Amino acid sequence: MLQLYMRGRKALALLLLMLWSASATSWAVPFAATPENFPETFESGSKSSYATGTVQLASGTWILDEALIGSTDNDKKAGSQSVRLRNAGRLAMDFFLPEGAGTVSIRHAIYGNDPGSGWELWAQTQVASCGCEKWYKVGQTVITSTSGLQTASFTVNTTAPVKFEIRKVSGGTARLNIDDFSVDSYDPTVPAYPDNDHLALGNPSMAIPDVSNPNNYLMRKPQYALSYSRDRGTPNWVSWHLDASDRGGADRQDNFREDPALPAGWYRVNENSYRGSGFDRGHNAPSADRTSSVEANSATFLMTNMIPQAPNNNQKTWNNFEQYTRSYAESGYEVYLIMGNYGVGGSGSNGGTTNTIDNGHVTVPNRVWKVAVILPVGENDVSRITAATRVIAIDTPNANSINTDWGAYRVSIDEIEVATGLDLLSNLPAGVQTQIEAAVDNGPTN
């Protein structure tokens, strides 16, 4: 069904995506500066305490939490002032850049002789179809350890209205200085999605967040991105990036629930929709891939991230593969993952073949697949992927009689594309994509 839909609507989807991007500046949101108003040098405002508060600066209003405007001899600065953060401090725009942003550059240094600290740049964009605000981390964690100002640069490159936040994530009471926050304009020659974005390797079905596209509806969350099918009541695919920063001490939340971000009027699959069906509420983006915070883990329990999955498939074969890919994230690698499903009819613990559950609102898939691209942690991820990069693709039956060895189901990406009509890893150079997608992984499985 999706395959026929994709072939007939791909050109229209491309057009709609262009129109959606072009209209991104028309929403009624609190806009202020444009990239031309930057760099923000933090010279024009004042704030002398670490208590949470707002400061009016040349570019607009900023929120400072566990942060102040410093001007002492120990504050590293290009002029007379810079921002000083401590503990889990943050420095955030309280306004959007209406025309998006290209590259963000930030100068940073340790305060005085304090130990080093880690910090991250986060971005929040507004989605045209729902006015939703989505946070995502841009690039890798930056470790500040030098006494002189250094410059860290991040590729954002979005046409959507965007604002930014710096979050201090390590170092405890050690303080750091931030100065000269620069934002360049959108550059159409740079890939649409930066490193670690959940769609950095491509949008497999050219999904867009438009209600006229109900069976290929794009939803972007901080924890993953997905194409949702209203008529199937499941995602077509879910894509996410995994590295060590996504893993932490948060407990499994088990708060399965409907997704409030679905368009008004659409049926919302809920926590009870699978009960008694013989199928698990099978995660696409796994709970254990998102344990950095309660919020991150909770997001994996939205029902838009679930498919009806045979228990032995979910709890054994799939769980084994998930643990295997997580082992890479814990040993110096980052992993891009895409999971999807196709066909109709699976066999769960009740026996026989079941086509739909929840009074026909949820389609039971016949096959479940996943692709994992494994890289050493680094920058410029798309350009680092070569024919020698380990890429694992599996395609399994949605059946309780499944082999628990996921390695038995390895296939080429080409085979998955033929079965689904999707275009996987489309952001890779054509030559690399051709080689990777034709190969079948033969590496270790444990």
Side-chain angles (χ1 to χ4, degrees):
M1 189 79 175
L2 178 62
Q3 184 175 8
L4 293 174
Y5 171 83
M6 278 299 305
R7 290 174 177 169
R9 294 287 301 274
K10 188 169 185 178
L12 178 58
L14 281 167
L15 176 60
L16 288 170
L17 183 60
M18 292 168 61
L19 292 172
W20 167 62
S21 297
S23 65
T25 61
S26 65
W27 313 326
V29 294
F31 296 137
T34 64
E36 286 72 22
N37 298 113
F38 284 79
E40 174 54 69
T41 60
F42 306 106
E43 296 294 317
S44 63
S46 63
K47 182 174 183 290
S48 58
S49 76
Y50 287 106
T52 303
T54 59
V55 178
Q56 184 64 42
L57 298 169
S59 59
T61 303
W62 292 66
I63 302 169
L64 280 71
D65 179 16
E66 285 284 336
L68 53 77
I69 303 291
S71 59
T72 69
D73 290 342
N74 283 328
D75 286 295
K76 310 301 166 42
K77 49 197 181 293
S80 61
Q81 295 188 153
S82 62
V83 174
R84 187 196 313 160
L85 297 95
R86 70 176 185 183
N87 298 330
R90 67 185 184 99
L91 166 66
M93 292 179 177
D94 198 25
F95 57 91
F96 286 88
L97 302 177
E99 298 177 358
T103 300
V104 175
S105 299
I106 302 164
R107 302 185 75 183
H108 61 106
I110 61 172
Y111 170 82
N113 295 315
D114 281 10
S117 297
W119 59 275
E120 297 170 347
L121 178 67
W122 287 70
Q124 185 187 85
T125 56
Q126 290 204 335
V127 178
S129 62
C130 64
C132 306
E133 297 176 347
K134 307 294 184 182
W135 280 108
Y136 61 91
K137 185 175 77 172
V138 183
Q140 300 291 320
T141 300
V142 176
I143 304 299
T144 297
S145 58
T146 59
S147 59
L149 286 169
Q150 306 289 312
T151 300
S153 295
F154 305 83
T155 300
V156 181
N157 229 44
T158 178
T159 58
V162 63
K163 64 182 177 180
F164 298 103
E165 178 173 298
I166 290 175
R167 302 179 184 180
K168 186 173 179 290
V169 295
S170 67
T173 57
R175 294 154 291 184
L176 65 88
N177 287 119
I178 298 293
D179 203 3
D180 294 347
F181 193 111
S182 300
V183 182
D184 293 337
S185 299
Y186 167 74
D187 182 351
T189 66
V190 176
Y193 304 114
D195 278 3
N196 303 347
D197 188 276
H198 305 310
L199 295 179
L201 304 191
N203 181 330
S205 60
M206 294 303 296
I208 57 174
D210 192 296
V211 293
S212 65
N213 212 39
N215 293 314
N216 190 25
Y217 182 78
L218 180 65
M219 304 181 76
R220 284 178 61 81
K221 301 180 183 297
Q223 298 79 17
Y224 49 89
L226 66 120
S227 162
Y228 188 74
S229 171
R230 179 197 63 189
D231 294 348
R232 288 178 70 96
T234 66
N236 300 307
W237 53 262
V238 177
S239 182
W240 68 102
H241 176 266
L242 172 67
D243 63 24
S245 69
D246 297 307
R247 299 270 293 153
D251 292 333
R252 180 183 168 97
Q253 297 303 297
D254 277 321
N255 55 340
F256 294 93
R257 64 200 185 281
E258 65 181 47
D259 192 335
L262 285 172
W266 287 20
Y267 181 78
R268 294 183 178 181
V269 181
N270 61 56
E271 63 273 19
N272 296 312
S273 293
Y274 289 27
R275 293 195 186 280
S277 68
F279 293 92
D280 284 358
R281 296 169 291 195
H283 284 72
N284 283 250
S287 163
D289 279 11
R290 295 290 184 258
T291 56
S292 60
S293 68
V294 168
E295 178 186 13
N297 188 261
S298 177
T300 69
F301 288 90
L302 292 168
M303 294 303 294
T304 48
N305 184 44
M306 304 294 161
I307 60 169
Q309 198 167 1
N312 286 340
N313 184 307
N314 180 42
Q315 299 169 29
K316 297 179 180 179
T317 312
W318 220 247
N319 181 55
N320 292 340
F321 190 40
E322 290 171 354
Q323 291 189 50
Y324 183 74
T325 55
R326 277 194 292 274
S327 71
Y328 276 96
E330 295 165 354
S331 56
Y333 290 83
E334 55 187 307
V335 188
Y336 287 91
L337 298 122
I338 314 166
M339 175 178 167
N341 65 90
Y342 63 95
V344 177
S347 57
S349 59
N350 292 344
T353 299
T354 302
N355 291 337
T356 65
I357 61 174
D358 194 17
N359 296 315
H361 289 295
V362 179
T363 297
V364 178
N366 181 255
R367 307 285 299 189
V368 187
W369 59 268
K370 182 180 278 189
V371 172
V373 179
I374 303 167
L375 287 170
V377 169
E379 302 294 332
N380 302 313
D381 294 345
V382 171
S383 66
R384 294 190 297 120
I385 298 173
T386 70
T389 299
R390 188 171 186 197
V391 178
I392 308 171
I394 65 172
D395 187 343
T396 70
N398 190 21
N400 234 21
S401 57
I402 193 171
N403 188 328
T404 59
D405 176 15
W406 61 262
Y409 298 103
R410 285 182 281 195
V411 297
S412 69
I413 292 176
D414 282 341
E415 292 175 80
I416 295 175
E417 290 182 331
V418 168
T420 62
L422 299 174
D423 184 8
L424 300 171
L425 311 185
S426 59
N427 282 353
L428 298 185
V432 174
Q433 187 180 354
T434 297
Q435 294 180 72
I436 283 179
E437 295 188 353
V440 177
D441 176 71
N442 60 1
T445 59
N446 54 47

